[in-house]
Every structure is written in C-alpha cells, then in structure tokens.
Amino acid sequence: MGYTIIKHPLIDHKMTILRKKETSSMEFRQLVNEISTLMGYEVTRDLETEDIEIETPIAKTVGKRISGKKIGIVPILRAGLGMVEGLLTIIPAARVGHIGMYRDPKTLKPVTYYSKLPKDVASRQMIIVDPMLATGGSLIEAIDELKRNGAKNIKSINLLAAPEGLKAVEEAHPDVEIYIAALDEKLNEDKYIVPGLGDAGDRLFGTK
Ligand code: PRP
Ligand code: URA
C-alpha cells in the first residue's frame, strides 16, 4: 500500500516549529495535538458514508453519515499518547487501545511492556499513532501485535519518518498504509532521525 506524505501549509509550518530545539514541552504538546488533527482529516478521507434522510427546520433533505467500520486508535507509548487527543477531536467515538514499547538503548530493538486493545479490533479500522518512525522496529512490532489480535485494517500516522524505517515497515507489512507529515534524510549512528526533532517522548513530557 505504501506511504502518503500529507502536504499542507499549516502542517509544514507547525512541523518547523516542532523541530526547533528551543520549542518548549508545552508548545510541543500543543503542536503535536494540532498536527494530529490535521493529519486525521486526511487519513479519514476514505471512510464510507451512507445517505440519511433528515428534517431541517425548513424542509426534508438527505444528508450523509459515516457508515462501515468503526475506528480504533492505538498510540505507541509514550510518545504516541501526544497524538490521541488531536484525533479524538475529530473522531470522538473512537475506541483507544495502548501498546507500551521502548527502544532498548543498546540493541535499539523495541521492547513491548504493555498491550491493551479493544476486543473487536477485527472489525475496526485501526489507526496506530506514534510521532517517530525511525528504524521501523517499533511500528513493525505494533502491527504484529494488532494482527495477532485479529486486526485486518491497519493504518499508521507518524509525523516524521526515515527512509530506512519506511522501507522496513513496507516490506514487513505491505498491507498497511502509512501517513507521514515529512520524510527526513536518514538515521544517524544512534538511529535518531536526521534532521528529525530529537527524542519525541522526552520533548513531549519534559523528561531527560
Ligand atoms: C520512540 C518513538 C517510537 C520509536 C521509533 O520511542 O516514539 O516509538 O522510538 O523508533 P524505531 O522506529 O527505531 O523503533 P522511544 O523508544 O523513545 O520511547 P518513548 O516514546 O517511551 O520515549
Ligand atoms: N525516537 C525518537 O524519539 N526520535 C528519533 O529520532 C528516533 C526514535
């Protein structure tokens, strides 16, 4: 399925402020929230709708309502948490699962420490959220976990991706569509995205 870079002047502007090293945690959280809402608008573009007859105060008319699959949002902890509110702003009825994962600083491989998903993932459009797609290891693991639980329709929203990570996820899970706000140059020797924005979890939560 591949990936889509969501191009929009507001997203580009906000991403630039997000990347700046002077940006405070408070601003960072706000920006991640806003960018997630803007990206969510595009990611939900293909939701099915059906006609519904309604009555306005003036006349009868036919409107549209969302039909088909319900949505499940799954943040990869910690940094993915920063994207949940932004998506719930436009999809308030979505169920939210959580996958806890960190990248081992020595092996740089993801370690899963928590997983709690809605029971009916098989019938939902699942959307994984995590600001960073670096080596792709975390996202591949998260998709594996969703598929082990029966998920069949999976998308991922990541603010930034490295080419190496995107390729790895596409090879491991060609059925998953990945939406990003920017595709960066490369990974450095510590597997951080260059130019990137640093450690997303630390910047969101003011840790380090
Ligand atoms: C970051 C990020 C992703 C992962 C990406 O999480 O939020 O989950 O790294 O790296 P990968 O593509 O190489 O797997 P981190 O391990 O820093 O954990 P945190 O969110 O708890 O800070
Ligand atoms: N995780 C981050 O938070 N930032 C990166 O650049 C890579 C992984």
Side-chain angles (χ1 to χ4, degrees), residues 79 103 130-135 160 187-188 190-202:
R103 233 174 38 162
D130 188 339
M132 311 303 276
L133 197 178
T135 65
L160 278 186
L187 295 173
N188 67 13
D190 299 320
K191 305 294 182 202
Y192 272 79
I193 299 175
V194 181
L197 51 72
D199 188 304
D202 284 341

Side-chain angles (χ1 to χ4, degrees), residues 64-187:
K64 301 266 183 214
R65 75 172 161 202
I66 305 281
S67 60
K69 286 182 219 62
K70 297 205 166 68
I71 291 181
I73 300 167
V74 181
I76 301 179
L77 309 184
R78 286 176 300 167
L81 280 177
M83 299 176 66
V84 175
E85 275 307 311
L87 282 177
L88 287 175
T89 303
I90 50 171
I91 323 165
R95 294 275 165 92
V96 182
H98 295 85
I99 297 179
M101 220 175 248
Y102 67 89
R103 233 174 38 162
D104 183 282
K106 287 212 180 74
T107 65
L108 299 171
K109 298 268 181 271
V111 179
T112 304
Y113 58 85
Y114 185 75
S115 173
K116 185 82 183 171
L117 300 171
K119 284 203 175 62
D120 55 353
V121 288
S123 59
R124 286 183 182 263
Q125 171 63 62
M126 301 304 293
I127 304 176
I128 298 173
V129 294
D130 188 339
M132 311 303 276
L133 197 178
T135 65
S138 303
L139 182 53
I140 291 172
E141 267 296 311
I143 297 170
D144 285 343
E145 172 65 5
L146 277 175
K147 288 186 175 173
R148 278 194 291 272
N149 282 272
K152 293 180 188 66
N153 298 282
I154 305 173
K155 294 184 180 196
S156 176
I157 311 181
N158 306 93
L159 305 192
L160 278 186
E164 302 90 317
L166 261 187
K167 187 162 172 279
V169 181
E170 282 180 319
E171 280 171 13
H173 294 292
D175 56 312
V176 174
E177 178 80 27
I178 302 165
Y179 295 84
I180 56 178
L183 177 57
D184 274 13
E185 210 180 292
K186 59 177 183 183
L187 295 173

